[in-house]
Amino acid sequence: MAINALEIIRSAAPAIFPSFLRCDFGDLKGELSRLADAGAKGLHLDVMDGHFVPNLTYGMPIVEGLRRHSDLPLDVHLMISDPLAYAKPMVEAGADLLTVHIEALHPDQTLDVIGAIKDLGVAVGIALNPETPLSTLAPCLAEVDMVLVMSVEAGFGGQKFNPNSLEKLRALRESRPDLLLQIDGGIDIETILPAREAGCDLFVVGSAIFKQADYGIAFRELEAAMLGNPSRGSERVSVERNGQEGSENS
Ligand code: DX5
Ligand code: ZN
């Protein structure tokens, strides 16, 4: 999958990638099939180490398990302090796209880490948190396949969308018309259209999908909103799923 994954992702855009953070971890195979049936074109996997961010999720075994049961591109968001140490095991587990945080890297090592990930044969993304200025990406922008603009502080699902992400998207789109742009955090039927209009290609969505009983309805509503044609949400039925402490900070 890794060789063509970037092209597959590019051709899927604009696309919604469900975030594996608030899903039912007791039924990952079922979640995969429900998300595929709903129309997911890629899966966003939130890997947190309890150090770079104050939350702990999962590592290679979950990536490997998802890889075994799905052909969809696996977009792995590494919210970890030492992304280089885990890049190779993540690729061996089946990751297609590895995104590292600029805040986790010393400026002197950024290009080396990006180069090392590319050498593993997968696509590479660079992420930045809301408080991190866009200028920090300047030295590596030409080397990455994707920029992930965080619209919440990395670490938890269910946070409020930060509109400063829209300015970053607009500036990136203007300076790099062909660069793949992704947004992550607080994306729902209200925020997805402004993000699309700002030039975003890939929309990571957690709560707005997993809080609904029917993922197909969630996808249809989000896609309609993304195209500027919002439905009235009359089909929506909410559920409480994976609501334990630590998965959401609201
Ligand atoms: C935050 C994660 C996101 C988040 C998105 O650190 O990277 O993927 O779970 O979830 P919602 O859509 O709930 O903001
Ligand atoms: Zn994420």
Side-chain angles (χ1 to χ4, degrees), residues 31-49:
E31 293 284 53
L32 273 180
S33 99
R34 286 186 284 277
L35 290 165
D37 289 350
K41 297 286 189 299
L43 307 172
H44 181 88
L45 310 185
D46 283 312
V47 174
M48 307 186 193
D49 65 355

Side-chain angles (χ1 to χ4, degrees), residues 188-194 197 217-236:
D188 58 20
I189 55 170
E190 306 295 331
T191 54
I192 196 166
L193 179 59
E197 287 175 340
I217 293 172
F219 266 77
R220 283 200 298 280
E221 287 186 352
L222 285 159
E223 279 162 359
M226 179 175 75
L227 299 172
N229 179 29
S231 67
R232 281 172 298 172
S234 53
E235 297 173 282
R236 206 176 306 160

Side-chain angles (χ1 to χ4, degrees), residues 28-178:
L28 283 178
K29 213 172 152 185
E31 293 284 53
L32 273 180
S33 99
R34 286 186 284 277
L35 290 165
D37 289 350
K41 297 286 189 299
L43 307 172
H44 181 88
L45 310 185
D46 283 312
V47 174
M48 307 186 193
D49 65 355
H51 184 261
F52 177 67
V53 291
N55 196 4
L56 185 64
T57 57
Y58 49 83
M60 285 74 75
I62 294 284
V63 177
E64 191 272 329
L66 292 171
R67 173 78 304 154
R68 226 170 335 121
H69 294 290
S70 176
D71 288 331
L72 289 172
L74 299 182
D75 157 28
V76 179
H77 180 188
L78 293 173
M79 287 164 273
I80 64 178
S81 295
D82 190 357
L84 193 52
Y86 294 95
K88 190 162 183 263
M90 280 293 175
V91 171
E92 286 168 351
D96 295 302
L97 163 62
L98 286 184
T99 296
V100 298
H101 267 262
I102 190 77
E103 301 87 356
L105 304 174
H106 188 280
D108 293 343
Q109 66 162 166
T110 304
L111 289 176
D112 289 345
V113 170
I114 289 167
I117 293 174
K118 281 180 158 174
D119 288 347
L120 293 169
V122 294
V124 60
I126 191 90
L128 83 172
N129 274 323
E131 298 311 318
T132 305
L134 211 44
S135 55
T136 58
L137 299 189
C140 64
L141 219 43
E143 304 303 321
V144 295
D145 299 302
M146 184 185 84
V147 172
L148 164 51
V149 174
M150 292 301 298
S151 35
V152 298
E153 185 74 15
F156 297 91
Q159 301 183 75
K160 193 171 181 303
F161 181 83
N162 184 331
N164 87 355
S165 55
L166 299 176
E167 291 152 41
K168 288 178 179 171
L169 287 169
R170 275 192 285 270
L172 285 163
R173 178 52 70 231
E174 205 173 300
S175 63
R176 302 264 162 182
D178 296 325

